[in-house]
Amino acid sequence: MFGIGMTELLVILAIGLIVIGPKKLPELARTLGKGLAEFRRASTEMRREFLDVANEARIDPPPAKSAEAGSEKTDEPKPPDEFKGPNVG
């Protein structure tokens, strides 16, 4: 939980009890818990919305061409039929 150990949590609760008082502390903790729960719900809903939009916007790859059609046209240049060296002499 937030990277806080048990001893740190107890120290925070003790300081809260001293500063806020025993009458207001449960009410404050309840309000804080409700706020955190609402934040989690909102963030989960936003994450779902982003994932839905990303899935709708995903473009499918083009269909694979057959082997026969691929052998006729290629993007790679063809090597020359014969080697033509520099003209000397």
Side-chain angles (χ1 to χ4, degrees):
M1 181 169 93
F2 306 116
I4 298 176
M6 187 57 124
T7 55
E8 290 92 355
L9 188 61
L10 288 175
V11 169
I12 291 171
L13 288 175
I15 292 172
L17 184 62
I18 293 169
V19 172
I20 296 172
K23 292 182 181 178
K24 289 280 189 175
L25 190 62
E27 182 182 333
L28 181 68
R30 195 174 308 117
T31 304
L32 182 63
K34 286 180 182 179
L36 285 174
E38 181 64 29
F39 179 75
R40 281 188 187 148
R41 276 193 293 270
S43 65
T44 301
E45 184 177 334
M46 188 176 293
R47 184 180 303 126
R48 283 185 190 145
E49 289 291 325
F50 278 123
L51 289 174
D52 289 345
V53 168
N55 286 337
E56 288 175 7
R58 183 171 293 148
I59 299 172
D60 292 330
K65 295 181 180 180
S66 66
E68 294 174 5
S71 64
E72 293 175 5
K73 289 187 176 182
T74 60
D75 293 337
E76 298 176 16
K78 292 183 179 180
D81 292 336
E82 59 186 57
F83 177 72
K84 294 181 181 178
N87 292 334
V88 179

